[in-house]
Coordinates of all heavy atoms in Angstrom, one line a residue:
M103 N 9.2 47.7 20.6 CA 10.1 46.7 20.1 C 9.5 45.3 20.2 O 9.5 44.6 19.4 CB 11.5 46.8 20.7 CG 12.5 45.9 20.0 SD 12.6 46.3 18.3 CE 14.2 46.0 17.9
I104 N 9.0 45.1 21.4 CA 8.3 43.8 21.8 C 7.1 43.6 21.0 O 6.8 42.5 20.5 CB 8.2 43.5 23.3 CG1 9.5 43.6 24.0 CG2 7.3 42.4 23.6 CD1 9.4 43.5 25.5
L105 N 6.3 44.7 20.9 CA 5.0 44.7 20.1 C 5.3 44.3 18.7 O 4.6 43.5 18.1 CB 4.3 45.9 20.3 CG 3.0 46.0 19.5 CD1 2.1 45.0 20.1 CD2 2.4 47.5 19.6
L106 N 6.3 44.9 18.0 CA 6.8 44.5 16.7 C 7.2 43.1 16.5 O 6.7 42.5 15.6 CB 7.9 45.5 16.3 CG 8.3 45.2 14.8 CD1 7.3 45.6 13.8 CD2 9.6 46.2 14.6
F107 N 7.9 42.6 17.5 CA 8.3 41.2 17.4 C 7.1 40.3 17.6 O 7.0 39.3 16.8 CB 9.2 40.9 18.5 CG 9.7 39.4 18.7 CD1 10.4 38.7 17.8 CD2 9.0 38.6 19.7 CE1 10.7 37.4 17.9 CE2 9.3 37.3 19.8 CZ 10.2 36.7 18.8
L108 N 6.2 40.5 18.4 CA 4.9 39.8 18.6 C 4.1 39.7 17.3 O 3.5 38.8 17.1 CB 4.3 40.1 19.9 CG 4.8 39.8 21.3 CD1 4.1 40.4 22.4 CD2 5.1 38.4 21.3
L109 N 4.0 40.9 16.8 CA 3.2 40.9 15.6 C 3.8 40.2 14.4 O 3.1 39.5 13.7 CB 3.2 42.5 15.0 CG 2.3 42.7 13.9 CD1 0.9 42.4 14.1 CD2 2.5 44.2 13.5
L110 N 5.2 40.3 14.2 CA 5.7 39.5 13.1 C 5.7 38.0 13.5 O 5.5 37.2 12.5 CB 7.2 39.9 13.0 CG 7.4 41.3 12.4 CD1 8.9 41.6 12.4 CD2 6.9 41.3 10.9
F111 N 5.8 37.6 14.7 CA 5.9 36.1 15.2 C 4.4 35.7 14.9 O 4.3 34.6 14.5 CB 6.1 36.1 16.5 CG 6.3 34.6 17.0 CD1 7.3 33.8 16.7 CD2 5.2 34.2 17.9 CE1 7.4 32.5 17.0 CE2 5.3 32.8 18.3 CZ 6.3 31.9 17.8
S112 N 3.3 36.4 15.2 CA 2.0 36.0 15.1 C 1.6 35.6 13.5 O 0.9 34.8 13.3 CB 1.0 36.8 15.6 OG 1.0 38.0 14.9
V113 N 2.2 36.3 12.7 CA 2.0 36.2 11.2 C 2.7 35.0 10.8 O 2.1 34.2 9.9 CB 2.6 37.6 10.4 CG1 2.4 37.2 9.0 CG2 1.6 38.7 10.8
L114 N 3.8 34.7 11.2 CA 4.6 33.4 10.9 C 4.0 32.3 11.4 O 4.3 31.2 11.0 CB 6.1 33.6 11.2 CG 6.8 34.8 10.6 CD1 8.2 34.9 11.1 CD2 6.9 34.7 9.1
V115 N 3.2 32.2 12.5 CA 2.7 31.0 13.1 C 1.6 30.6 12.6 O 1.0 29.3 12.8 CB 2.5 31.3 14.6 CG1 1.9 30.2 15.4 CG2 3.8 31.9 15.4
Q116 N 0.9 31.1 11.6 CA -0.3 30.7 10.9 C -0.2 29.4 10.4 O 1.0 29.0 9.9 CB -0.7 31.8 9.9 CG -1.1 33.0 10.3 CD -1.5 34.0 9.1 OE1 -1.5 33.6 8.0 NE2 -1.9 35.2 9.4
A117 N -1.2 28.5 10.5 CA -1.1 27.1 10.1 C -1.3 26.9 8.5 O -2.3 26.3 8.2 CB -2.1 26.4 10.8
A118 N -0.5 27.6 7.8 CA -0.6 27.4 6.3 C 0.7 27.5 5.7 O 1.7 27.8 6.2 CB -1.5 28.6 5.8
Q119 N 0.9 26.9 4.4 CA 2.1 26.9 3.8 C 1.8 27.1 2.3 O 0.7 27.0 1.7 CB 2.8 25.4 3.9 CG 1.8 24.3 3.4 CD 2.5 23.0 3.9 OE1 3.6 22.9 4.1 NE2 1.8 21.9 3.8
D120 N 2.8 27.6 1.6 CA 2.7 27.9 0.1 C 2.9 26.6 -0.6 O 3.6 25.6 -0.2 CB 3.8 28.9 -0.3 CG 3.5 30.2 0.3 OD1 2.4 30.5 0.5 OD2 4.5 30.9 0.4
A121 N 2.1 26.4 -1.7 CA 2.3 25.3 -2.6 C 2.1 25.7 -4.1 O 1.7 26.8 -4.3 CB 1.1 24.3 -2.3
V122 N 2.7 24.9 -4.9 CA 2.7 25.1 -6.4 C 1.9 24.0 -7.1 O 2.3 22.8 -6.7 CB 4.1 25.3 -7.0 CG1 3.9 25.6 -8.5 CG2 4.7 26.5 -6.3
V123 N 1.1 24.4 -8.0 CA 0.4 23.1 -8.6 C 1.3 22.5 -9.6 O 1.9 23.3 -10.4 CB -0.9 23.7 -9.1 CG1 -1.7 22.7 -10.1 CG2 -1.9 24.4 -8.2
I124 N 1.4 21.2 -9.6 CA 2.3 20.5 -10.5 C 1.6 19.7 -11.5 O 2.3 19.1 -12.5 CB 3.2 19.6 -9.7 CG1 2.5 18.6 -8.9 CG2 4.2 20.4 -8.8 CD1 3.4 17.7 -8.2
R125 N 0.4 19.6 -11.5 CA -0.5 18.9 -12.6 C -0.9 19.9 -13.5 O -1.2 21.1 -13.3 CB -1.7 18.2 -11.9 CG -1.3 17.2 -10.9 CD -0.9 15.9 -11.5 NE -0.8 14.9 -10.5 CZ 0.3 14.1 -10.5 NH1 1.0 13.9 -11.6 NH2 0.4 13.1 -9.5
D126 N -1.3 19.4 -14.8 CA -1.9 20.3 -15.8 C -3.2 21.0 -15.3 O -3.4 22.2 -15.5 CB -2.1 19.6 -17.1 CG -0.8 19.3 -17.8 OD1 0.3 20.1 -17.5 OD2 -0.7 18.4 -18.5
N127 N -4.1 20.2 -14.8 CA -5.3 20.7 -14.4 C -5.6 20.0 -13.1 O -6.0 18.8 -12.9 CB -6.5 20.3 -15.3 CG -6.5 21.2 -16.6 OD1 -6.1 22.3 -16.5 ND2 -6.9 20.5 -17.6
A128 N -5.4 20.7 -12.0 CA -5.5 20.1 -10.5 C -7.0 20.4 -10.2 O -7.3 21.7 -10.0 CB -4.7 20.7 -9.6
V129 N -7.9 19.4 -9.9 CA -9.2 19.7 -9.6 C -9.4 20.1 -8.1 O -8.7 19.5 -7.2 CB -10.0 18.4 -9.9 CG1 -11.6 18.6 -9.4 CG2 -9.9 18.0 -11.2
V130 N -10.3 21.1 -7.9 CA -10.5 21.6 -6.5 C -11.9 21.1 -6.2 O -12.9 21.2 -6.9 CB -10.5 23.2 -6.5 CG1 -10.8 23.6 -5.0 CG2 -9.1 23.6 -6.8
Y131 N -12.0 20.5 -4.9 CA -13.2 20.0 -4.5 C -13.9 20.7 -3.5 O -13.1 21.4 -2.6 CB -13.1 18.5 -4.0 CG -12.5 17.6 -5.2 CD1 -11.0 17.4 -5.2 CD2 -13.3 17.0 -6.0 CE1 -10.6 16.6 -6.3 CE2 -12.9 16.1 -6.9 CZ -11.5 15.9 -7.1 OH -11.0 15.2 -8.1
A132 N -15.2 20.6 -3.3 CA -15.9 21.3 -2.1 C -15.9 20.5 -0.8 O -16.3 21.0 0.1 CB -17.4 21.5 -2.7
D133 N -15.6 19.2 -0.9 CA -15.7 18.4 0.3 C -14.4 17.4 0.3 O -13.8 17.2 -0.6 CB -16.9 17.5 0.4 CG -17.2 16.6 -0.8 OD1 -16.4 16.8 -1.8 OD2 -18.1 15.8 -0.7
Q134 N -14.2 17.0 1.5 CA -12.8 16.2 1.8 C -13.1 14.9 1.1 O -12.0 14.2 0.9 CB -12.9 15.9 3.4 CG -12.4 17.2 4.1 CD -12.2 16.8 5.7 OE1 -12.0 15.7 6.0 NE2 -12.4 17.8 6.3
Q135 N -14.2 14.3 0.9 CA -14.4 13.0 0.2 C -14.1 13.0 -1.2 O -14.2 12.1 -2.1 CB -15.7 12.4 0.5 CG -15.8 12.0 1.9 CD -16.0 13.1 3.0 OE1 -16.5 14.1 2.5 NE2 -15.7 12.8 4.2
M136 N -14.0 14.2 -1.8 CA -13.6 14.5 -3.2 C -14.9 14.0 -4.1 O -14.6 13.5 -5.1 CB -12.3 13.9 -3.7 CG -11.1 14.4 -2.9 SD -9.6 13.8 -3.5 CE -9.7 12.1 -2.8
T137 N -16.0 14.5 -3.8 CA -17.2 14.0 -4.5 C -17.8 15.1 -5.4 O -18.4 14.8 -6.5 CB -18.3 13.4 -3.6 OG1 -18.8 14.4 -2.7 CG2 -17.8 12.2 -2.9
S138 N -17.5 16.3 -5.0 CA -18.2 17.4 -5.8 C -17.1 18.4 -6.2 O -16.6 19.3 -5.4 CB -19.3 18.2 -5.1 OG -18.9 18.6 -3.8
P139 N -16.6 18.4 -7.5 CA -15.6 19.3 -7.9 C -16.1 20.7 -8.1 O -17.2 20.9 -8.5 CB -15.2 18.6 -9.3 CG -16.4 17.8 -9.7 CD -17.1 17.2 -8.4
L140 N -15.4 21.7 -7.9 CA -15.7 23.1 -8.0 C -15.1 23.7 -9.3 O -15.6 24.5 -9.8 CB -15.2 23.9 -6.8 CG -15.8 23.6 -5.5 CD1 -15.2 24.5 -4.3 CD2 -17.3 24.1 -5.5
G141 N -13.9 23.2 -9.5 CA -13.1 23.8 -10.7 C -11.8 23.2 -10.7 O -11.4 22.2 -10.2
Y142 N -10.8 24.1 -11.2 CA -9.4 23.5 -11.3 C -8.5 24.6 -11.3 O -8.8 25.9 -11.6 CB -9.3 22.6 -12.5 CG -9.5 23.3 -13.9 CD1 -8.4 24.0 -14.4 CD2 -10.8 23.3 -14.3 CE1 -8.7 24.6 -15.6 CE2 -10.9 23.9 -15.6 CZ -9.8 24.5 -16.2 OH -10.1 25.2 -17.4
F143 N -7.3 24.3 -10.9 CA -6.1 25.3 -11.0 C -5.2 24.8 -12.0 O -5.1 23.6 -12.2 CB -5.3 25.3 -9.7 CG -6.0 26.0 -8.6 CD1 -6.0 25.5 -7.3 CD2 -6.6 27.3 -8.7 CE1 -6.6 26.1 -6.2 CE2 -7.2 27.9 -7.7 CZ -7.2 27.3 -6.5
L144 N -4.6 25.6 -12.7 CA -3.6 25.3 -13.9 C -2.2 25.0 -13.3 O -1.9 25.6 -12.2 CB -3.5 26.3 -15.0 CG -4.8 26.5 -15.8 CD1 -4.7 27.7 -16.7 CD2 -5.3 25.3 -16.4
R145 N -1.3 24.4 -14.0 CA 0.1 24.2 -13.5 C 0.7 25.5 -13.3 O 0.6 26.4 -14.1 CB 0.7 23.4 -14.6 CG 2.3 23.2 -14.2 CD 3.0 22.6 -15.4 NE 2.3 21.2 -15.7 CZ 3.1 20.1 -15.7 NH1 4.3 20.0 -15.4 NH2 2.4 19.0 -16.0
G146 N 1.5 25.5 -12.2 CA 2.3 26.7 -11.9 C 1.6 27.6 -11.0 O 2.2 28.7 -10.4
K147 N 0.3 27.5 -10.7 CA -0.4 28.4 -9.8 C 0.0 28.2 -8.4 O 0.2 27.1 -7.9 CB -2.0 28.1 -9.8 CG -2.8 28.8 -8.9 CD -3.1 30.2 -9.5 CE -4.1 30.8 -8.4 NZ -4.3 32.2 -8.7
R148 N 0.4 29.4 -7.7 CA 0.9 29.3 -6.4 C -0.3 29.6 -5.4 O -1.1 30.6 -5.7 CB 1.8 30.5 -6.0 CG 3.1 30.3 -6.9 CD 4.2 31.3 -6.6 NE 4.6 31.4 -5.1 CZ 5.6 30.7 -4.7 NH1 6.2 29.9 -5.5 NH2 5.8 30.6 -3.4
I149 N -0.6 28.7 -4.5 CA -1.8 28.7 -3.5 C -1.2 28.5 -2.1 O -0.1 28.0 -1.9 CB -2.8 27.7 -3.9 CG1 -2.2 26.2 -4.0 CG2 -3.4 28.1 -5.3 CD1 -3.2 25.2 -4.0
R150 N -2.2 28.8 -1.3 CA -1.8 28.5 0.3 C -2.7 27.3 0.7 O -3.9 27.2 0.3 CB -2.3 29.8 1.1 CG -1.6 31.0 0.9 CD -0.2 31.1 1.6 NE -0.4 31.3 2.9 CZ 0.6 31.2 3.8 NH1 1.7 31.2 3.3 NH2 0.5 31.4 5.0
V151 N -2.1 26.4 1.1 CA -2.8 25.2 1.7 C -2.5 25.1 3.1 O -1.6 25.5 3.8 CB -2.4 23.9 0.8 CG1 -2.7 24.1 -0.7 CG2 -0.8 23.6 1.2
G152 N -3.4 24.3 3.9 CA -3.2 24.0 5.3 C -2.1 23.0 5.4 O -1.6 22.2 4.6
E153 N -1.4 23.0 6.7 CA -0.3 22.2 6.9 C -0.7 20.7 7.2 O 0.2 19.9 6.9 CB 0.5 22.7 8.1 CG 1.3 24.0 7.8 CD 2.1 24.5 9.0 OE1 2.0 23.8 10.2 OE2 2.8 25.5 8.9
I154 N -1.8 20.5 7.6 CA -2.2 19.1 8.1 C -3.2 18.6 6.7 O -4.3 19.1 6.7 CB -3.0 19.2 9.3 CG1 -2.0 19.7 10.4 CG2 -3.4 17.8 9.7 CD1 -2.7 19.9 11.8
P155 N -2.7 17.5 6.1 CA -3.6 17.1 5.1 C -4.9 16.3 5.8 O -4.8 15.7 7.0 CB -2.7 15.9 4.5 CG -1.4 16.0 5.1 CD -1.4 17.0 6.3
R156 N -6.0 16.4 5.2 CA -7.2 15.8 5.5 C -7.5 14.4 4.9 O -6.9 14.1 3.9 CB -8.4 16.7 5.6 CG -8.1 18.1 6.0 CD -8.1 17.8 7.6 NE -7.9 19.3 8.2 CZ -7.4 19.4 9.3 NH1 -7.1 18.6 10.1 NH2 -7.3 20.7 9.8
N157 N -8.6 13.8 5.3 CA -9.0 12.6 4.6 C -7.8 11.6 4.5 O -7.6 11.0 3.4 CB -9.7 12.9 3.2 CG -10.4 11.7 2.6 OD1 -10.6 10.7 3.2 ND2 -10.7 11.8 1.3
L158 N -7.4 11.2 5.6 CA -6.3 10.0 5.6 C -5.1 10.5 4.8 O -4.3 9.8 4.2 CB -6.8 8.7 5.1 CG -8.0 8.2 6.0 CD1 -8.5 7.0 5.4 CD2 -7.5 7.9 7.4
G159 N -4.8 11.8 4.7 CA -3.6 12.4 4.0 C -3.8 12.6 2.6 O -2.8 12.7 1.8
H160 N -5.0 12.5 2.0 CA -5.2 12.6 0.6 C -5.4 14.0 0.1 O -5.2 14.4 -1.1 CB -6.5 11.8 0.3 CG -6.2 10.3 0.3 ND1 -5.1 9.7 0.9 CD2 -6.9 9.2 -0.2 CE1 -5.2 8.4 0.9 NE2 -6.4 8.1 0.2
V161 N -5.9 15.0 0.9 CA -6.3 16.4 0.4 C -5.8 17.4 1.4 O -5.7 17.2 2.7 CB -7.8 16.6 0.3 CG1 -8.4 15.6 -0.8 CG2 -8.6 16.3 1.5
Y162 N -5.5 18.5 0.9 CA -5.2 19.8 1.7 C -6.3 20.7 1.6 O -6.9 20.9 0.5 CB -3.9 20.5 1.0 CG -2.5 19.8 1.3 CD1 -1.8 19.6 0.3 CD2 -2.1 19.7 2.7 CE1 -0.5 19.1 0.6 CE2 -0.9 19.1 2.9 CZ 0.0 18.9 1.8 OH 1.2 18.3 2.1
P163 N -6.6 21.3 2.7 CA -7.6 22.5 2.6 C -7.0 23.6 2.1 O -5.8 23.9 2.3 CB -8.0 22.7 4.1 CG -6.8 22.1 5.0 CD -6.1 21.0 4.1
T164 N -7.8 24.4 1.3 CA -7.3 25.7 0.7 C -8.5 26.7 0.7 O -9.7 26.2 1.1 CB -6.7 25.5 -0.6 OG1 -6.1 26.7 -1.1 CG2 -7.7 24.9 -1.6
I165 N -8.3 27.9 0.4 CA -9.3 28.9 0.4 C -9.5 29.2 -1.2 O -8.6 29.6 -1.9 CB -9.0 30.2 1.1 CG1 -8.6 29.8 2.6 CG2 -10.0 31.2 0.9 CD1 -9.8 29.9 3.4
V166 N -10.7 29.2 -1.6 CA -11.2 29.5 -3.0 C -12.4 30.5 -2.9 O -13.4 30.1 -2.3 CB -11.6 28.3 -3.8 CG1 -11.9 28.7 -5.3 CG2 -10.4 27.4 -4.1
S167 N -12.2 31.7 -3.2 CA -13.3 32.7 -3.3 C -13.8 32.9 -1.8 O -15.0 33.0 -1.7 CB -14.3 32.4 -4.1 OG -13.9 32.4 -5.5
G168 N -12.9 32.9 -0.8 CA -13.4 33.1 0.5 C -14.1 31.8 1.3 O -14.6 31.9 2.4
K169 N -14.1 30.7 0.5 CA -14.7 29.6 1.0 C -13.6 28.4 1.1 O -12.6 28.4 0.3 CB -15.8 29.1 0.2 CG -16.9 30.1 -0.1 CD -18.2 29.7 0.4 CE -19.2 30.6 0.0 NZ -19.6 31.6 0.7
I170 N -13.7 27.5 2.1 CA -12.9 26.2 2.1 C -13.1 25.3 1.1 O -14.3 25.0 0.7 CB -13.0 25.6 3.4 CG1 -12.5 26.6 4.7 CG2 -12.1 24.4 3.6 CD1 -12.8 26.0 5.9
A171 N -12.0 24.8 0.4 CA -12.0 23.9 -0.8 C -10.9 23.0 -0.4 O -10.1 23.1 0.5 CB -12.0 24.6 -2.0
F172 N -10.8 21.9 -1.1 CA -9.8 20.8 -0.9 C -9.2 20.5 -2.3 O -9.9 20.5 -3.3 CB -10.5 19.6 -0.3 CG -11.1 19.9 1.0 CD1 -12.3 20.2 1.2 CD2 -10.3 19.8 2.2 CE1 -12.9 20.5 2.3 CE2 -10.9 20.1 3.4 CZ -12.2 20.5 3.5
I173 N -7.9 20.3 -2.2 CA -7.1 19.9 -3.5 C -6.3 18.7 -3.0 O -5.7 18.5 -2.0 CB -6.3 21.0 -3.9 CG1 -5.6 20.7 -5.3 CG2 -5.1 21.4 -2.9 CD1 -5.0 22.0 -6.0
R174 N -6.1 17.7 -4.0 CA -5.4 16.5 -3.7 C -3.8 16.8 -3.5 O -3.2 17.7 -4.0 CB -5.4 15.6 -5.0 CG -6.7 15.0 -5.1 CD -7.0 14.0 -6.2 NE -5.6 13.9 -7.2 CZ -5.3 12.8 -7.8 NH1 -6.0 11.7 -7.7 NH2 -4.3 12.9 -8.5
V175 N -3.4 16.0 -2.5 CA -1.9 16.2 -2.0 C -1.0 15.9 -3.3 O 0.0 16.6 -3.5 CB -1.5 15.3 -0.9 CG1 -0.1 15.2 -0.7 CG2 -2.4 15.6 0.4
L176 N -1.3 14.9 -4.2 CA -0.5 14.6 -5.3 C -0.5 15.6 -6.4 O 0.3 15.7 -7.2 CB -1.1 13.3 -6.0 CG -1.0 12.1 -4.9 CD1 -1.6 10.8 -5.7 CD2 0.4 11.7 -4.6
D177 N -1.4 16.7 -6.3 CA -1.6 17.7 -7.3 C -0.7 18.9 -7.1 O -0.5 19.9 -7.9 CB -2.9 18.2 -7.6 CG -3.8 17.1 -8.1 OD1 -3.2 16.0 -8.7 OD2 -5.2 17.1 -8.2
V178 N -0.1 19.0 -5.8 CA 0.6 20.2 -5.4 C 2.1 19.8 -4.8 O 2.2 18.7 -4.4 CB -0.2 21.1 -4.5 CG1 -1.5 21.6 -5.0 CG2 -0.4 20.3 -3.2
S179 N 2.9 20.8 -5.0 CA 4.2 20.6 -4.3 C 4.4 21.6 -3.3 O 4.2 22.8 -3.6 CB 5.4 20.7 -5.3 OG 6.6 20.6 -4.7
T180 N 4.7 21.2 -2.0 CA 4.7 22.2 -1.0 C 6.2 22.6 -0.8 O 7.2 21.8 -1.0 CB 4.2 21.7 0.3 OG1 4.8 20.4 0.7 CG2 2.7 21.5 0.3

């Protein structure tokens, strides 16, 4: 019973949150300074983003194809 509780608790403690893209085309960047775009997400796409914004609160880290990418805070709703 304790093992089951610890397993469920460890899954909930992960430092990520769900977000929904609210812009028509939300650009995804390869770096925190937003200098090299990788692609974009369309409106309504549900993604997982980090809880702590980076680059003075301008971008959230996210995972795209197994790699870390960044999306603007203004483009998503958490």
Side-chain angles (χ1 to χ4, degrees):
M103 186 63 144
I104 294 174
L105 182 62
L106 179 63
F107 173 75
L108 291 175
L109 179 65
L110 289 174
F111 183 73
S112 68
V113 171
L114 296 175
V115 176
Q116 294 179 359
Q119 58 187 345
D120 291 327
V122 177
V123 176
I124 58 174
R125 302 279 184 215
D126 289 334
N127 290 324
V129 179
V130 180
Y131 298 95
D133 57 350
Q134 292 183 21
Q135 290 74 27
M136 299 183 289
T137 57
S138 53
L140 292 175
Y142 60 91
F143 289 133
L144 296 176
R145 179 187 298 244
K147 173 81 173 166
R148 296 181 61 88
I149 58 174
R150 299 276 293 174
V151 296
E153 288 184 359
I154 302 171
R156 307 288 185 208
N157 190 13
L158 301 174
H160 290 14
V161 295
Y162 281 127
T164 188
I165 304 276
V166 175
S167 299
K169 307 240 191 279
I170 296 177
F172 298 91
I173 189 166
R174 290 183 351 151
V175 171
L176 299 176
D177 292 344
V178 296
S179 174
T180 56

